Amino acid sequence: MHQHDGKFEILSKRVMAPGTTRLEVKAPRVARKARAGQFVMVRVDERGERIPLTIAERHPDKGTIAIVFQALGFSTRQMADLEVGQSFKDVLGPLGQPTDVRRCGRVVCVAGGLGIAFMYPEIVAFAEAGNDITSILGARSKDLLFYVEEIEALSTHVHIATDDGSLGHHGLVTEILAGLLEKGEHFDYCIATGPIPMMRAAVELTKRYDLPTLVSLDPIMVDGTGMCGACRVTVGGEVKFACVDGPDFDGRLVDFDELANRKRAFVEEEERCRLEETADRLEKEREAEQSGDATSR
Amino acid sequence: MAEETTTNRKAKREPRNPLPRRPPKERANDFAEVALGFDVKAALAEARRCLQCKRPTCIEGCPVGIDIPGFIKAVEEERFEDAVSVLKDRNNLPGICGRVCPQETQCEKACVLGKRQEPVAIGALERFVADWERDNIESRPQPNQGHDAPKVAVIGSGPGGLTAAADLARCGYRVTIFESLHAPGGVLRYGIPPFRLPRDILDREVDYVKSLGVQIETNVLVGKTLTLQELMEEEGYEAVFIATGAGLPWFLGIPGENLSGVYSANEFLTRINLMQAYRFPQYRTPIRVGKKTVVIGGGNTAMDSARCALRMGSQSAILYRRTRAEMPARAEEAENALAEGVELRELTVPVRVLGDEKGRVRALQCQRAKLGEPDASGRRRPLPIEGSEFDVEADTVVIAVSQSPNPLLPSTEPRLELGKDGRLIVNPETNETSIPGVFAGGDIANDAGTVIAAMGDGKVAARAIDQHLRKKHGLGPSPH
Ligand SMILES: Cc1cc2nc3c(=O)[nH]c(=O)nc-3n(C[C@H](O)[C@H](O)[C@H](O)COP(=O)(O)OP(=O)(O)OC[C@H]3O[C@@H](n4cnc5c(N)ncnc54)[C@H](O)[C@@H]3O)c2cc1C
Ligand SMILES: Cc1cc2nc3c(=O)[nH]c(=O)nc-3n(C[C@H](O)[C@H](O)[C@H](O)COP(=O)(O)OP(=O)(O)OC[C@H]3O[C@@H](n4cnc5c(N)ncnc54)[C@H](O)[C@@H]3O)c2cc1C
Ligand code: SF4
Ligand code: SF4
Ligand code: FES
């Protein structure tokens, strides 16, 4: 089913955390142009959805980019099954506006869960620009954290929070942020990436301290080039297309309620696709068993 | 004029042969083609209706100037292969044009027969010839480029880009089309549904363009993946044709428009046509179409959206602020839509989208309108009637009011001069933009908004590019 024409070949694969996979993909043109904050649209095969994914790493010398994703639904699970040597059918990018990376002084980077994949390239870019980085990383449990060593190497301080208390603060990343701000730590800029409630909580907090805060939005997308409007978000009362005007926006201006609502648009269909997939797999396994060469997947 | 036509022809007064279509009840349930096309008998009969005018006005009505009486004569004499050659001399994509051209405002409008009775069914004949070729002639690769021929880049693989690329390849240039989506065709692929333009027809026409030696590189968004400047300065393209279309969807700017269940027509059609959501979950892109779909608009896009909604099992209504007489849609498609059961609510202006407690659409609040004086487009302006508000129940809303030129590429190249409407300004003779060697056409540069106008631009630009490059390389005038 997967193509082997080598165009968007997978050159390395690493499981970053249970359910979270990093793939390094050959895409020289994308690698050359990509900047922090940008993303690609990928398709696994001829029947696949177009899936937006942050460009977590770029390696222009090798002509590769890396993407990190959580196997949530059908497409991301299908991607998690790809192996080195197989190829994506399509990779389009880099898309979206690059983050406006400036030297602003002390930057606090708050990332929850998969938000760490969005955050890592930002930290790389803001550190390269000469900023002092404080990182606050969170996940449900310590096993689910990733890029921690890389981020430690780029940050002056790293704080960890886990929902189950298995590492660092037992609680939310925003609680750590609140603590730092209350203590009177001064930051010049904040970046918050992660689930909507987390970004919303971060912004509510930083508003009180007049701390400019960048968030990275992940609305539903179809083309990723400004042609469909599926990704529209309201920012400062204006309708923006996240794929061309974003995906980074000033968090203080984002209408998170609307975003959360629009992201739920296809929940039932996603569920159906997943059920279908399960049925498919069972069917395949049964066939394989019958033909006597059952291989467990 | 009739006086100028050959008079020794029989059977002039026979009525026009209708294009056979599948019954509305049957076709409204699937995505297979609605029109069936002429059989040989009907084609011959229709070809005989043509007067073979000495001064064929029909040709002036065709933006690419097909020798219409020429190809019809070949059909009449059952020289179908010759008919193919006549068509392909001017039109690289006849199977598409025969299906989607608004003939009633173009070639057929200009047909002299139309003055006394019904015009010759030129579109249906064109389609017949193209389909005959598909069924009877095996296409062979016929590249014509030397290894060191100049390179030309075409940006966008809609009808404008495909046409320019084909013509340039025939002139011997090495042509690459860069397309941002994963499949070529532009609106032909993502907008026009398969029941109007079956995908095997589109694929076949694209393959024909490739057979001339044209390379198509998908997944390249010029402006992001590569810039125009890099194409010319680093990748060695000596001329560029921009045909990036009018892909920017308009919204109405009314409250509630971002509720879930409200789509732009582009999103709705892209999910269904490009991503094949009508085959979900075998194809993985979902779409949610409820029980009551309301489409806002009156053009081809609105018709296509409404007919797709029907086929997805929904009731389907079109809200249009003027009346049917002013609808810009191709007449045949409006007729097809209504026959299939799409409801048309004329003189209705939406003012607000109403949602339920879950943030999903439940209705559209509308106002009634009456027609006033004609506006700039020459159509009578709709005037909303105060106090006439009423609700139209809807769980899916598709906004199909208009599109404007795709701003992405121009926004990354400040040297490209833009008009007020966001269109690239081009020299009308050559389609050259403000950057020498860079040409543009189709919906990014003109407001005709038809497949054939985009193709016409592609032809003009290809000729101008050929001249530009001949001059640059000190070659003589083109033999073409
Ligand atoms: C600009 C941008 C960058 C992104 N970068 C990354 C990335 O680097 N890594 C990554 O894993 N994901 C990223 N995403 C999100 C990713 O595109 C979706 O998770 C993916 O489309 C899900 O596809 P699926 O078919 O596997 O799941 P689906 O079947 O579509 O969904 C599975 C489950 O995930 C939920 N879901 C769907 N979409 C999202 C979403 N956008 N965010 C969170 N949950 C969602 C659904 O509600 C459902 O419960 C990004 C999104 C955008 C817009
Ligand atoms: C739903 C619908 C129905 C229609 N029905 C009819 C009809 O029946 N008859 C008719 O005559 N006309 C019809 N039209 C209008 C007609 O389709 C368009 O006028 C025509 O397709 C314009 O052709 P084009 O070559 O300018 O570009 P398009 O067909 O718009 O193609 C542009 C292509 O460029 C690509 N692109 C854009 N930007 C970039 C970039 N930066 N880099 C690379 N690629 C890029 C796009 O992805 C797209 O594939 C319809 C339009 C729509 C939307
Ligand atoms: S290309 Fe279109 S306008 Fe020209 S003859 Fe054919 S149908 Fe008519
Ligand atoms: S198509 Fe009409 S105008 Fe053209 S030659 Fe025939 S009769 Fe005359
Ligand atoms: S994803 Fe289509 S416009 Fe943004």
Side-chain angles (χ1 to χ4, degrees):
Chain A
M1 180 164 59
H2 305 307
Q3 291 230 332
H4 295 270
D5 67 1
K7 181 130 193 234
F8 301 114
E9 192 183 332
I10 293 159
L11 298 183
S12 72
K13 175 175 181 175
R14 191 163 84 209
V15 176
M16 306 287 274
T20 305
T21 309
R22 171 188 177 277
L23 294 178
E24 185 186 359
V25 185
K26 195 164 107 188
R29 286 189 160 144
V30 184
R32 192 180 136 192
K33 273 285 158 58
R35 294 291 173 269
Q38 291 189 295
F39 64 99
V40 284
M41 293 295 295
V42 306
R43 237 165 46 112
V44 173
D45 61 24
E46 205 39 69
R47 294 176 168 197
E49 262 185 286
R50 295 169 67 91
I51 301 284
L53 294 170
T54 302
I55 302 168
E57 300 168 35
R58 58 185 189 95
H59 304 287
D61 43 329
K62 286 194 277 176
T64 63
I65 57 166
I67 50 178
V68 176
F69 54 90
Q70 235 167 28
L72 281 175
F74 183 85
S75 302
T76 42
R77 283 170 58 178
Q78 205 184 5
M79 275 161 33
D81 285 345
L82 291 174
E83 297 298 339
V84 172
Q86 291 186 310
S87 293
F88 279 94
K89 180 81 178 61
D90 302 288
V91 176
L92 169 68
L95 303 173
Q97 297 297 330
T99 306
D100 183 12
V101 181
R102 280 187 242 169
R103 182 169 184 162
C104 35
R106 290 198 73 199
V107 179
V108 59
C109 301
V110 190
L114 195 63
I116 300 174
F118 292 72
M119 186 63 84
Y120 178 56
E122 305 281 357
I123 293 179
V124 171
F126 275 84
E128 269 175 11
N131 295 288
D132 175 88
I133 311 280
T134 299
S135 297
I136 308 176
L137 310 178
R140 267 182 289 127
S141 164
K142 79 169 200 236
D143 307 340
L144 296 174
L145 290 162
F146 53 95
Y147 277 137
V148 177
E149 278 169 34
E150 288 89 339
I151 290 173
E152 274 170 352
L154 298 164
S155 314
T156 317
H157 302 283
V158 176
H159 304 268
I160 306 273
T162 49
D163 292 358
D164 64 358
S166 51
L167 188 69
H169 171 71
H170 188 163
L172 305 173
V173 280
T174 43
E175 291 165 1
I176 298 183
L177 178 65
L180 294 177
L181 291 170
E182 261 164 46
K183 255 188 1 206
E185 287 227 26
H186 173 80
F187 296 108
D188 301 287
Y189 201 50
C190 173
I191 308 173
T193 59
I196 292 176
M198 187 224 100
M199 290 193 284
R200 193 204 313 253
V203 167
E204 272 162 18
L205 204 62
T206 56
K207 259 186 197 163
R208 282 193 255 136
Y209 292 85
D210 229 358
L211 175 58
T213 300
L214 190 77
V215 295
S216 188
L217 305 186
D218 62 347
I220 292 173
M221 293 187 175
V222 182
D223 61 298
T225 67
M227 270 175 39
C228 76
C231 62
R232 59 196 190 277
V233 289
T234 303
V235 181
E238 267 182 67
V239 177
K240 301 276 182 192
F241 288 4
C243 69
V244 286
D245 302 321
D248 294 348
F249 291 101
D250 180 343
R252 293 168 297 183
L253 303 178
V254 171
D255 183 340
F256 285 110
D257 287 335
E258 183 187 278
L259 175 64
N261 183 44
R262 289 189 57 78
K263 278 185 65 173
R264 279 192 299 267
F266 298 104
V267 176
E268 288 155 32
E269 286 76 7
E270 283 152 5
E271 189 58 34
R272 219 176 113 202
C273 205
R274 223 162 319 151
L275 293 176
E276 187 82 8
E277 173 207 28
T278 316
D280 268 8
R281 284 193 184 212
L282 290 176
E283 181 65 25
K284 271 196 205 122
E285 277 167 25
R286 206 172 311 126
E287 277 170 20
E289 267 165 33
Q290 277 165 4
S291 66
D293 59 358
T295 44
S296 62
R297 288 253 259 161
Chain B
M1 261 169 262
E3 293 77 47
E4 290 174 349
T5 61
T6 31
T7 46
N8 59 346
R9 294 176 61 82
K10 51 199 160 23
K12 282 176 220 175
R13 305 262 173 245
E14 265 173 35
R16 175 171 157 129
N17 292 271
L19 186 65
R21 290 176 241 189
R22 292 164 61 214
K25 285 269 155 1
E26 175 196 310
R27 71 197 196 215
N29 292 311
D30 62 39
F31 281 79
E33 192 170 16
V34 164
L36 295 169
F38 284 159
D39 55 16
V40 176
K41 195 166 146 245
L44 295 179
E46 188 61 24
R48 276 197 299 273
R49 292 183 65 233
C50 172
L51 304 172
Q52 291 293 320
C53 305
K54 287 216 187 70
R55 265 198 48 222
T57 46
C58 52
I59 298 182
E60 287 157 33
C62 171
V64 296
I66 288 178
D67 175 4
I68 294 169
F71 99 80
I72 294 181
K73 178 117 190 112
V75 173
E76 189 187 343
E77 294 169 1
E78 296 186 51
R79 293 180 286 109
F80 299 137
E81 209 166 340
D82 292 345
V84 174
S85 312
V86 177
L87 282 179
K88 289 221 161 161
D89 188 42
R90 305 296 309 175
N91 184 340
N92 297 305
L93 315 169
I96 294 170
C97 294
R99 288 176 166 80
V100 306
C101 262
Q103 290 94 7
E104 73 274 13
T105 62
Q106 299 184 159
C107 52
E108 294 181 13
K109 186 181 180 192
C111 167
V112 288
L113 255 194
K115 293 200 180 121
R116 300 267 168 84
Q117 45 163 319
E118 285 202 279
V120 176
I122 302 169
L125 284 172
E126 184 169 343
R127 170 196 163 120
F128 168 81
V129 173
D131 289 357
W132 179 88
E133 185 202 18
R134 180 185 53 149
D135 297 339
N136 293 281
I137 309 275
E138 203 172 321
S139 81
R140 265 170 279 111
Q142 39 192 316
N144 178 32
Q145 295 85 30
H147 289 296
D148 51 358
K151 282 167 60 176
V152 181
V154 171
I155 308 175
S157 64
L162 288 171
T163 299
D167 280 10
L168 286 161
R170 284 184 173 169
C171 291
Y173 297 103
R174 286 184 294 159
V175 186
T176 305
I177 302 182
F178 294 97
E179 166 58 50
S180 58
L181 291 172
H182 56 261
V187 171
L188 306 175
R189 174 92 49 191
Y190 78 76
I192 298 181
F195 55 82
R196 281 217 284 138
L197 178 60
R199 289 310 179 247
D200 55 335
I201 306 278
L202 174 57
D203 289 342
R204 161 110 187 169
E205 305 263 45
V206 170
D207 285 345
Y208 170 71
V209 174
K210 286 192 197 160
S211 77
L212 298 170
V214 172
Q215 306 285 325
I216 302 183
E217 197 178 331
T218 51
N219 297 310
V220 177
L221 180 62
V222 178
K224 291 282 182 186
T225 314
L226 275 172
T227 62
L228 187 63
Q229 200 171 352
E230 285 163 349
L231 274 178
M232 300 187 80
E233 288 169 13
E234 293 173 25
E235 306 232 347
Y237 291 94
E238 296 187 35
V240 177
F241 179 60
I242 303 176
T244 49
L248 179 72
W250 287 18
F251 288 90
L252 293 163
I254 58 175
E257 219 169 3
N258 292 346
L259 286 166
S260 135
V262 183
Y263 300 92
S264 75
N266 274 8
E267 180 185 355
F268 193 74
L269 292 170
T270 299
R271 282 182 184 274
I272 294 176
N273 300 322
L274 174 70
M275 305 311 297
Q276 307 191 44
Y278 67 92
R279 294 167 153 178
F280 180 86
Q282 283 75 34
Y283 283 70
R284 310 304 186 183
T285 303
I287 186 154
R288 184 195 290 240
V289 186
K291 299 259 176 309
K292 291 195 159 117
T293 301
V294 170
V295 178
I296 302 165
N300 284 318
T301 318
M303 299 304 135
D304 286 343
S305 302
R307 296 171 76 193
C308 281
L310 269 188
R311 285 161 172 78
M312 298 298 292
S314 174
Q315 284 179 27
S316 179
I318 287 179
L319 300 194
Y320 185 50
R321 56 192 182 137
R322 297 181 167 101
T323 66
R324 184 168 175 193
E326 289 84 29
M327 280 194 332
R330 194 170 172 254
E332 185 183 319
E333 304 309 344
E335 187 187 312
N336 283 339
L338 298 184
E340 286 163 11
V342 172
E343 186 194 346
L344 174 63
R345 289 170 173 255
E346 302 169 304
L347 296 169
T348 305
V349 185
V351 290
R352 171 190 291 274
V353 189
L354 304 170
D356 62 15
E357 64 290 345
K358 285 193 191 149
R360 297 196 53 84
V361 181
R362 70 175 170 82
L364 265 181
Q365 192 183 76
C366 301
Q367 266 180 333
R368 285 188 212 294
K370 58 177 193 264
L371 290 183
E373 295 302 307
D375 64 10
S377 70
R379 291 174 301 171
R380 293 180 61 192
R381 192 195 302 270
L383 303 170
I385 302 170
E386 287 306 321
S388 65
E389 281 78 5
F390 63 103
D391 290 354
V392 177
E393 226 183 286
D395 50 18
T396 306
V397 170
V398 181
I399 298 174
V401 285
S402 196
Q403 289 99 261
S404 37
N406 200 325
L408 192 136
L409 175 55
S411 74
T412 62
E413 178 44 86
R415 290 178 300 160
L416 281 173
E417 212 176 302
L418 283 179
K420 273 201 300 290
D421 50 5
R423 292 198 160 75
L424 292 177
I425 293 178
V426 295
N427 173 339
E429 308 275 293
T430 60
N431 276 49
E432 192 163 26
T433 66
S434 50
I435 306 179
V438 178
F439 299 72
D443 287 357
I444 188 76
N446 76 44
D447 60 2
T450 61
V451 168
I452 193 68
M455 291 175 54
D457 280 357
K459 291 198 102 61
V460 169
R463 211 174 306 125
I465 288 172
D466 183 35
Q467 270 159 18
H468 171 85
L469 292 177
R470 287 181 163 275
K471 204 158 122 201
K472 183 174 161 195
H473 291 273
L475 300 168
S478 165
H480 302 280

